[in-house]
Amino acid sequence: MMKIFIIIFIFFIFFQSTFASEKEKDVQICNYQTWDWDIKQKKATNYKNISKPKINLSKEEKGNIEGCSVCEEDQLEIKIKNIKPFKICKRFHQQIIIALTKAVNEGFEINTIIGYRVGKTKGNLDKEGKRTQFSNHSYGIAIDINSEKNGLYNNCLVFNKKCNLIQGGKYNPFEKGSVTKESPVYKAMIDIGFKWGGEIKGNQKDFMHFSIDGM
């Protein structure tokens, strides 16, 4: 009888523990701040702070890569030498540290990096002229390197003087800190599976940008 009681008791404790664990997962909270890019005003607008249970995230908020959502809780900070700290998705945290440290040690000059930053800068426009989809930065799966030297251009099938600079600084591939296919940072980021925005097919070139899909 005592043995039966002990077995029932152990089963009860196990069940309670499992139930509590599952319940804890259900109430995990996601926090993030977001905004919309207004193409008419050419600036970020409609700032808002979001806090909600993770189980209530939309498909877009979850993103396409497991563990890399818009939530601050899915991000980790990176600090490399004198570069201002930035955040990246936990899943790619160690890879990014290794790649950027390697690039810096090989002589590539990095002054600024922008990583995780939630905002709607992609997709179609709404009736007010605001973008409607999250960027790759929103999931911590993109970084911008030295944006002050590696601008974003449109009308730029092939980079030339006629390309139109729309964000960041003027691109000069011969200037120190500019990203090219010969740069140590290009090689290091490609080695870990990231793609360079300077190789985007089409009329846009984003020389500061590295992400999983290049966009």
Side-chain angles (χ1 to χ4, degrees):
M1 187 70 180
M2 180 61 70
K3 289 182 179 180
I4 295 175
F5 175 78
I6 292 173
I7 291 172
I8 293 173
F9 179 75
I10 293 173
F11 177 80
F12 176 76
I13 295 298
F14 175 78
F15 177 79
Q16 287 290 92
S17 177
T18 302
F19 178 76
S21 178
E22 290 300 317
K23 188 174 180 180
E24 184 179 341
K25 288 180 182 178
D26 288 345
V27 297
Q28 284 183 344
I29 302 299
C30 169
N31 296 285
Y32 68 95
Q33 183 187 73
T34 187
W35 43 266
D36 304 325
W37 183 257
D38 189 316
I39 66 163
K40 295 178 181 178
Q41 300 184 59
K42 295 183 178 179
K43 67 177 185 179
T45 61
N46 194 29
Y47 281 88
K48 51 191 173 184
N49 292 307
I50 306 294
S51 182
K52 61 184 352 183
K54 276 196 170 184
I55 58 171
N56 292 340
L57 292 179
S58 67
K59 183 178 179 180
E60 185 185 18
E61 287 174 314
K62 291 178 181 177
N64 296 321
I65 298 178
E66 182 69 29
C68 296
S69 72
V70 296
C71 308
E72 291 179 11
E73 291 77 8
D74 283 341
Q75 314 296 322
L76 284 177
E77 187 174 86
I78 289 178
K79 179 70 173 73
I80 298 175
K81 296 192 175 181
N82 296 322
I83 303 167
K84 184 178 178 180
F86 62 98
K87 291 184 178 180
I88 201 76
C89 175
K90 293 177 182 178
R91 182 167 176 174
F92 300 101
H93 181 258
Q94 196 60 34
Q95 294 169 278
I96 293 290
I97 291 176
I98 292 171
L100 294 181
T101 300
K102 184 174 186 290
V104 170
N105 288 342
E106 291 181 6
F108 185 79
E109 181 181 285
I110 299 179
N111 301 310
T112 60
I113 296 180
I114 297 172
Y116 169 71
R117 178 188 61 186
V118 185
K120 294 193 173 184
T121 62
K122 292 173 62 179
N124 296 327
L125 301 175
D126 64 16
K127 61 183 180 180
E128 296 177 342
K130 296 181 177 65
R131 294 292 181 187
T132 56
Q133 293 179 11
F134 290 120
S135 70
N136 279 331
H137 285 281
S138 301
Y139 306 105
I141 57 173
I143 60 173
D144 289 342
I145 298 175
N146 296 341
S147 60
E148 68 280 3
K149 297 181 178 182
N150 298 290
L152 167 62
Y153 290 80
N154 62 12
N155 300 322
C156 196
L157 187 62
V158 177
F159 182 67
N160 57 61
K161 293 181 179 180
K162 294 182 180 180
C163 293
N164 180 37
L165 178 63
I166 58 175
Q167 188 177 335
K170 187 176 179 180
Y171 179 64
N172 178 355
F174 302 104
E175 186 175 351
K176 194 171 184 180
S178 295
V179 181
T180 68
K181 290 184 71 172
E182 286 71 43
S183 301
V185 73
Y186 171 89
K187 297 174 183 177
M189 292 299 293
I190 295 299
D191 283 347
I192 63 169
F194 278 62
K195 297 179 181 179
W196 181 41
E199 296 179 302
I200 297 174
K201 293 181 180 179
N203 290 316
Q204 198 170 78
K205 298 292 177 288
D206 196 350
F207 295 106
M208 69 184 85
H209 189 77
F210 286 92
S211 66
I212 295 300
D213 61 7
M215 302 297 288

